[in-house]
Amino acid sequence: MRQTVREAAREIPVRWTTDILVCGGGPAGVGAALAAARAGKRVVLIESYGFLGGAVTNAGINGIGGWQHDLDGRPLVTGIAQELITEVSRESGGDMEQVRSVFAHRHQRPTYREGGLGCYWLNINPSMMKIVLDRKMEAAGVQLLYHCHAVYPIMDGNVIQGVYIESKSGREAILAEIVIDCTGDGDIAFRAGAESWMGEEETGLCQPGSLLFTVAHADVPPLNYSLGAEDESHLPPLERNRYAGAIQRARQRGEIVENPNELFCAATPIQASDPHIRSVNFTRLQKIDATDVESLTAAELSGRRQVLEAVSFMRRYIRGCEEAYLLYIQPQVGIRESRRIRGEYVLTKEDVLSGKRFEDCVCRGIYLLDIHNASGVANSTLHMLDQPYDIPFRALVPCGVENLLVAGRCISGDHTALASYRIISHCIQTGQAAGTAAAEALDSHMRVRNVDSTALKRRLEEAGCNVGSGV
Ligand SMILES: Cc1cc2nc3c(=O)[nH]c(=O)nc-3n(C[C@H](O)[C@H](O)[C@H](O)COP(=O)(O)OP(=O)(O)OC[C@H]3O[C@@H](n4cnc5c(N)ncnc54)[C@H](O)[C@@H]3O)c2cc1C
């Protein structure tokens, strides 16, 4: 069998020439596009789906973490992240009181409302997110291209010139001064020749994915983060394991066969006014490679089999869910981890745990180390942080490729550090930093990797971002 075929050379039409091209419209991409457009640049944003939001809207991740303060009492979700999430929350009929911290009790630290480090989630309605993001992009003048896939970088040596795209219109090109890769998987940076890693340093295995689904008639106590235990009510809900026994019984009866791993069941409300509609996180897709099409396909198939088992389990074993029914399965498996692109700095577990400060800080991280087990059957390891850490601009600058930045979960860091910086609010903020850096580079006529970090931080501070007050 032939291993390769040669594609014939052909002329490709140029659909747009722009200042800044953002590939991928997830949390990072929307932060990047809005920041660059608000700085007066021509911005094209391309997205594979017909809507923005990334994992929030294509995988149903609707609990936004990171709502904490730094040691000086300043909020850590700031800038475009704060603007977008609070607006979507308002439109979802709720406010931040909706989800109390699940960790504040254990650590006896005040919650976000009280100005402290206690971890805090804010639930939003993903459909509302789509609408708010459309509106924001139109207001900022971002040129959107939906149903459009960024396939390959256009290179001149090691300098990126734009990207080949594919859509219903066929294969076309977009030329740009600067490209920002916000694909989550670092597709463009990887194909431009940037070095990358996947998964655990020892095994290469990534954190598992999860296929979320929505149930109606879930009559569980309103606004709990997880379906926690009455008999362990002194523990924060995520630590309760009320259903361990029931899950074991269901396994013995052959009712849960698709998923051999330790399971937890988190059921978050989507709309403040209706706690009976829950987005459920109860599946685990272990050992998947989100950059491989066969692996992704297998994950979707297994995910949907797990959903069926999970709904049956809820109806049989969870009091209040006897009448629950499956309303909706998310469009795709949520991907916690895939490629991390090597940048000029590699953020490490030690940096995160020690609260490391950097001169070129563009985002202050605080989310706990939430390491879903990549290789074993155990669920996850959680480490609360005692202080925020800095994400340096250099982690957004891939080594060896010019005029390219990355933002979101594919920035430069190790497997453990990613377990913190991957959360939605941090991704929006690294996106905002990348968009702002790209605008600064064009204004100061320099390569984006050489942008003056003082000027960049000043711009971010003017836009309301907390980037630390000097090291
Ligand atoms: C199961 C699960 C639970 C999670 N729980 C939480 C949580 O409770 N709180 C929290 O804050 N975070 C949580 N996260 C993490 C968070 O959702 C992600 O890390 C975050 O969304 C990453 O943002 P991103 O913009 O980097 O990538 P993504 O959200 O993956 O967005 C990438 C976007 O790029 C598009 N795209 C990809 N490739 C291309 C291409 N080649 N061309 C064009 N478009 C492309 C995709 O369609 C997508 O819209 C969770 C994630 C998962 C999977």
Side-chain angles (χ1 to χ4, degrees):
M1 194 178 80
R2 291 170 68 178
Q3 298 299 310
T4 61
V5 291
R6 182 175 293 270
E7 190 176 359
R10 54 185 162 143
E11 291 294 308
I12 301 291
V14 175
R15 183 175 274 268
W16 296 100
T17 298
T18 188
D19 297 327
I20 297 165
L21 170 61
V22 180
C23 301
V30 301
L34 280 179
R38 288 173 180 177
K41 302 302 164 208
R42 293 174 303 157
V43 179
V44 176
L45 170 56
I46 55 181
E47 165 55 45
S48 296
Y49 283 98
F51 49 82
L52 299 175
V56 179
T57 50
N58 66 35
I61 314 301
N62 77 324
I64 317 285
W67 294 87
Q68 285 146 277
H69 289 77
D70 64 18
L71 299 176
D72 299 324
R74 291 181 305 170
L76 288 161
V77 178
T78 54
I80 290 173
Q82 182 184 35
E83 170 193 336
L84 293 180
I85 299 165
T86 50
E87 192 164 326
V88 178
S89 166
R90 211 171 34 245
E91 304 255 4
S92 308
D95 78 353
M96 288 180 232
E97 288 296 353
Q98 180 177 353
V99 181
R100 298 293 300 182
S101 163
V102 293
F103 293 103
H105 326 290
R106 185 176 61 182
H107 290 265
Q108 298 300 309
R109 289 187 288 194
T111 60
Y112 179 75
R113 266 270 189 261
E114 295 148 345
L117 277 169
C119 192
Y120 199 91
W121 273 268
L122 177 58
N123 279 2
I124 57 162
N125 182 333
S127 297
M128 222 27 108
M129 182 83 155
K130 294 180 187 174
I131 291 167
V132 168
L133 292 178
D134 283 348
R135 198 193 288 156
K136 293 277 177 191
M137 294 301 155
E138 282 170 349
V142 173
Q143 176 63 57
L144 289 169
L145 280 182
Y146 285 146
H147 301 289
C148 178
H149 205 63
V151 273
Y152 226 86
I154 302 167
M155 303 297 294
D156 181 3
N158 72 339
V159 183
I160 192 164
Q161 312 275 304
V163 164
Y164 295 109
I165 57 171
E166 296 226 335
S167 70
K168 284 287 184 185
S169 304
R171 191 171 174 90
E172 297 171 298
I174 299 181
L175 300 177
E177 299 286 323
I178 295 174
V179 175
I180 307 177
D181 184 340
C182 299
T183 59
D185 303 316
D187 287 349
I188 296 304
F190 173 75
R191 289 177 191 139
E195 190 185 343
S196 66
W197 312 273
M198 296 255 290
E200 292 177 333
E201 282 72 25
E202 313 76 48
T203 63
L205 292 170
C206 293
Q207 292 194 35
S210 292
L211 181 61
L212 272 67
F213 57 94
T214 304
V215 290
H217 274 300
D219 192 10
V220 287
L223 309 181
N224 269 8
Y225 175 71
S226 80
L227 300 172
E230 280 163 17
D231 54 346
E232 293 176 297
S233 53
H234 60 289
L235 292 176
L238 272 183
E239 291 191 356
R240 300 170 187 170
N241 204 6
R242 178 185 186 189
Y243 301 109
I247 288 171
Q248 204 175 349
R249 281 200 301 286
R251 282 199 204 288
Q252 283 160 358
R253 291 172 184 158
E255 294 162 1
I256 296 183
V257 292
E258 188 66 26
N259 190 339
N261 303 295
E262 199 176 278
L263 292 166
F264 74 100
C265 183
T268 48
I270 291 170
Q271 186 76 16
S273 56
D274 189 351
H276 304 293
I277 306 275
R278 296 296 181 105
S279 171
V280 184
N281 184 350
F282 193 12
T283 68
R284 291 182 91 69
L285 287 313
Q286 209 84 15
K287 299 183 181 169
I288 58 172
D289 174 354
T291 65
D292 179 85
V293 67
E294 285 189 37
S295 181
L296 273 177
T297 303
E300 299 290 356
L301 293 170
S302 173
R304 285 194 279 274
R305 287 192 291 267
Q306 288 188 31
V307 167
L308 200 59
E309 290 184 351
V311 176
S312 303
F313 171 81
M314 292 175 77
R315 288 167 60 97
R316 281 200 185 101
Y317 295 93
I318 297 182
R319 199 170 59 239
C321 288
E322 295 82 357
E323 303 298 322
Y325 66 91
L326 180 60
L327 194 62
Y328 182 69
I329 300 179
Q330 292 298 331
Q332 72 155 78
V333 165
I335 302 301
R336 289 189 175 85
E337 180 177 13
S338 60
R339 289 190 198 102
R340 310 184 305 276
I341 302 296
R342 179 196 275 280
E344 291 191 350
Y345 187 83
V346 183
L347 197 69
T348 65
K349 170 187 176 182
E350 291 71 33
D351 294 338
V352 170
L353 288 174
S354 66
K356 184 123 179 193
R357 307 299 312 274
F358 295 101
E359 289 278 1
D360 58 341
C361 166
V362 289
C363 172
R364 306 215 66 208
I366 187 60
Y367 195 70
L368 66 152
L369 282 177
D370 180 6
I371 313 168
H372 294 251
N373 195 324
S375 39
V377 294
N379 196 335
S380 49
T381 316
L382 306 171
H383 297 283
M384 284 296 287
L385 305 185
D386 291 322
Q387 60 203 329
Y389 61 93
D390 289 353
I391 300 178
F393 174 59
R394 284 164 294 156
L396 281 53
V397 183
C399 296
V401 184
E402 296 300 335
N403 294 349
L404 176 70
L405 294 175
V406 293
R409 69 175 164 82
C410 59
I411 65 169
S412 176
D414 67 22
H415 169 75
T416 308
L418 170 127
S420 170
Y421 67 66
R422 71 188 170 86
I423 65 154
I424 292 153
S425 56
H426 296 357
C427 289
I428 299 175
Q429 290 177 94
T430 56
Q432 179 167 6
T436 306
E440 170 65 21
L442 295 178
D443 287 342
S444 53
H445 307 287
M446 57 171 61
R447 291 263 197 233
V448 71
R449 77 171 62 251
N450 298 329
V451 153
D452 173 40
S453 64
T454 308
L456 173 58
K457 285 176 73 162
R458 194 180 317 118
R459 279 189 184 228
L460 289 168
E461 273 165 358
E462 283 166 8
C465 298
N466 180 350
V467 287
S469 51
V471 185

